Amino acid sequence: QLQLVESGGGSVQDGGSLRLSCEASGRFFEDYNMAWIRQVPGKEREFVAAIGRRDDNTYYNGGPAKGRFTISRDNAKSAVYLQMTNLKPEDTAVYYCAAEYAAGDILRGSENIAYWSHWGRGTQVTVSP
């Protein structure tokens, strides 16, 4: 079991940048796929990005992150990050860190929210026009 705690959210203006962090506690962090998923109140959760056990295995599914956000991990620190640039007001949401034990290295399909079984409590990102 992993416990996940997000940080780094805040308020920025259109075009600004933020770096979200997720720290995990528990064993075998390096054996988990990790993801960032966001949610706007009243809407369903939306997949942003995932990363496999190796930090060169990333997946964005052509979604909102493409070209602007970068997911990374540091297994030595049991942490995963989301660097967000050129933020837009429509990126305003609660951003959740999620984890799932990696059965393999294929991340396609992880855009399905039901794939992820471990969740943090989220961090709010607000982008003003």
Side-chain angles (χ1 to χ4, degrees):
Q1 293 284 342
L2 287 185
Q3 290 77 47
L4 307 173
V5 178
E6 302 93 337
S7 62
S11 298
V12 297
Q13 291 189 323
D14 191 353
S17 299
L18 281 174
R19 186 187 191 221
L20 305 183
S21 299
C22 171
E23 294 187 4
S25 59
R27 300 178 68 185
F28 308 120
F29 170 80
E30 64 274 12
D31 290 336
Y32 284 77
N33 292 329
M34 303 296 296
W36 288 97
I37 293 163
R38 69 187 188 184
Q39 186 171 26
V40 175
K43 295 188 176 181
E44 294 184 351
R45 291 186 176 183
E46 178 184 33
F47 175 87
V48 176
I51 188 166
R53 291 174 292 183
R54 302 187 323 269
D55 61 10
D56 61 349
N57 183 16
T58 59
Y59 180 59
Y60 298 94
N61 194 37
K66 189 176 182 181
R68 298 188 298 129
F69 299 172
T70 303
I71 190 171
S72 62
R73 70 188 294 162
D74 185 339
N75 287 341
K77 296 182 179 179
S78 295
V80 63
Y81 308 100
L82 186 68
Q83 178 68 51
M84 304 187 293
T85 62
N86 192 21
L87 282 160
K88 306 176 187 302
E90 52 265 39
D91 294 316
T92 295
V94 176
Y95 283 71
Y96 296 93
C97 178
E100 179 60 33
Y101 188 81
D105 295 324
I106 304 298
L107 293 175
R108 188 172 59 238
S110 67
E111 69 274 14
N112 184 342
I113 302 305
Y115 171 89
W116 304 96
S117 60
H118 300 77
W119 292 84
R121 293 190 176 185
T123 185
Q124 176 70 46
V125 171
T126 303
V127 185
S128 57

